[in-house]
Amino acid sequence: ERNGAFHSPERLVSGRDQASVGMSDEAASCAHCGAQGAASLRRCARCKQASYCGAECQKAAWKSHKKRCRDPPQGQDYFDWLNSSLEQIDESFEKQDWAGVLACEDAVEDMIGGQPPEMSEFLMLQFATAHRGANNHLKAARWYERLIPVLEKLERFRDQGENACNVGNLYIALGSMPDAKVWFEVGRKVGETH
């Protein structure tokens, strides 16, 4: 660590500098372990999407993060680039242009953990729906699986149960009945308790 920023394998912006990269205190969470609290988190200085508790989480997440860690296109401000990606997702989703939605998936995936739960829910649901529409059942199931803990945080039990059943249906499409049964059971239990 030098001057409050990590340098290897990627540089991180210290908590005191996060206001300058648009991270809100209540929304931030570690991209690796999920711990919350912007004051103690540091954001990747290259892509400014992922934030981490420290070097240990950063290094543990690097293998997956490095696939998406990139500078915005040359001459484009990071936030302009991110906003244009989010706009493309919305426009493509309205047209049911699943390829257009999925073209932005890598650009915003790391950002999802640092968003308020409502924004994370919306993006995860868009990606799950797009993958389902493009017949990428396994990727759709993975997005739905990531969505369920967010719904638990938001206490949206009905949505949580419906999406657990969506995962079950996707596993049926993939021919994996044991996985489907597990998710249908989750949906049933949510329905019974809430």
Side-chain angles (χ1 to χ4, degrees), residues 42-137:
R42 296 174 180 206
R43 186 153 287 216
C44 171
R46 181 177 183 204
C47 69
K48 298 184 180 50
Q49 292 182 43
S51 50
Y52 302 101
C53 296
E56 193 172 306
C57 281
Q58 174 203 5
K59 287 176 185 173
W62 177 243
K63 186 175 180 179
S64 69
H65 178 65
K66 73 179 176 181
K67 297 172 191 168
R68 295 180 297 276
C69 185
R70 59 182 166 269
D71 293 317
Q74 188 154 359
Q76 193 171 8
D77 176 71
Y78 168 76
F79 292 104
D80 290 342
W81 171 64
L82 187 58
N83 284 332
S84 68
S85 294
L86 293 172
E87 287 172 11
Q88 180 181 336
I89 291 169
D90 288 342
E91 290 169 11
S92 298
F93 194 84
E94 284 180 30
K95 299 176 199 170
Q96 294 187 357
D97 171 14
W98 308 130
V101 173
L102 299 176
C104 299
E105 184 176 21
D106 285 346
V108 299
E109 184 172 358
D110 278 339
M111 179 194 74
I112 288 174
Q115 293 300 307
E118 296 84 5
M119 183 65 163
S120 298
E121 171 194 12
F122 184 66
L123 286 168
M124 284 188 252
L125 193 53
Q126 284 182 311
F127 289 135
T129 304
H131 277 297
R132 192 173 190 170
N135 291 319
N136 300 328
H137 298 305

Side-chain angles (χ1 to χ4, degrees), residues 166-189:
N166 284 335
V167 176
N169 287 326
L170 289 164
Y171 278 120
I172 286 175
L174 292 166
S176 180
M177 285 307 293
D179 288 324
K181 286 179 183 178
V182 167
W183 285 100
F184 285 132
E185 184 63 16
V186 169
R188 187 186 64 76
K189 284 183 180 177

